[in-house]
Amino acid sequence: AVEVKDDPVSKHFADAFGSLQGVNLSTVKGNAAGSLAERVAFAQQAKEVEFQQTFMVTAQEAEEVRSIASKAKSGADYDFSKLPADAAARLDTLYTNIN
């Protein structure tokens, strides 16, 4: 039987996977062209960003809703019929994206 150390392909994979041992990927700076740990961290961080953009309200979206809603303020309440058509359409789009 061929030992891992004697087979260059097996040695490459064993070394690569060994480099992940004991590594906390949440603290590694992601790098798409770096070491295996850096590449795995890069992929995880990209997935996290994608998740946040898909399922979380961004600060920009929240500020845009606040800004549009302030234009509909009527005393202590809101009258969204006061909004211009483009602002009302944007608010509807934001509502759909957020919910």
Side-chain angles (χ1 to χ4, degrees), residues 13-34:
F13 282 101
D15 291 347
F17 288 125
S19 72
L20 291 175
Q21 292 236 290
V23 175
N24 182 351
L25 294 172
S26 66
T27 61
V28 173
K29 181 173 172 41
N31 180 353

Side-chain angles (χ1 to χ4, degrees), residues 4-66:
V4 170
K5 65 180 175 60
D6 298 328
D7 178 23
V9 174
S10 295
K11 182 174 178 346
H12 169 77
F13 282 101
D15 291 347
F17 288 125
S19 72
L20 291 175
Q21 292 236 290
V23 175
N24 182 351
L25 294 172
S26 66
T27 61
V28 173
K29 181 173 172 41
N31 180 353
S35 68
L36 181 59
E38 290 170 333
R39 291 189 308 245
V40 171
F42 177 82
Q44 284 185 328
Q45 291 162 4
K47 288 287 186 186
E48 178 66 21
V49 168
E50 178 187 10
F51 176 85
Q52 289 173 354
Q53 290 174 342
T54 303
F55 297 107
M56 300 174 98
V57 178
T58 66
Q60 179 184 355
E61 289 169 328
E63 183 53 41
E64 197 171 353
V65 168
R66 268 190 227 98

